[in-house]
Amino acid sequence: MAYSANQLGYARIIVAVGRRMGVAVRGIKIGLSAGLVETNLLNYANRAVPGSMTVPHDAVGSDGRSVGILQQQPQWWGRGDGIDLMNPS
């Protein structure tokens, strides 16, 4: 499977942020795996999270209130608008 420039860019961001945070290689692999499993490394907005629709995204999902590459839910992270969860880094 060929990945788009956006998908490869998101993978690079996951690796770079993991390195910057001192995450072990195994943890970075887990981050990449989660992104691949959850969204195939696409940045999803969600109409149930209106703020997510106002920032750049690759697709629109409808899985509860999940947004971003890792399909995080704003209410679990104390982030009402979800915009920061759309930031790949």
Side-chain angles (χ1 to χ4, degrees), residues 58-83:
D58 303 308
V60 177
S62 59
D63 180 19
R65 292 177 41 86
S66 299
V67 297
I69 297 168
L70 299 176
Q71 290 293 275
Q72 299 177 81
Q73 299 213 10
Q75 69 273 20
W76 291 2
W77 300 101
R79 297 176 171 112
D81 62 13
I83 292 174

Side-chain angles (χ1 to χ4, degrees), residues 12-88:
R12 287 184 194 99
I13 289 169
I14 291 169
V15 171
V17 169
R19 287 180 177 162
R20 187 170 58 242
M21 294 176 67
V23 175
V25 171
R26 182 172 186 265
I28 292 171
K29 288 179 183 179
I30 291 168
L32 289 167
S33 297
L36 285 165
V37 168
E38 290 293 334
T39 64
N40 199 30
L41 291 174
L42 295 173
N43 198 2
Y44 274 81
N46 188 320
R47 286 183 182 85
V49 183
S52 71
M53 300 297 291
T54 67
V55 296
H57 54 275
D58 303 308
V60 177
S62 59
D63 180 19
R65 292 177 41 86
S66 299
V67 297
I69 297 168
L70 299 176
Q71 290 293 275
Q72 299 177 81
Q73 299 213 10
Q75 69 273 20
W76 291 2
W77 300 101
R79 297 176 171 112
D81 62 13
I83 292 174
D84 59 336
L85 297 177
M86 296 292 296
N87 181 339

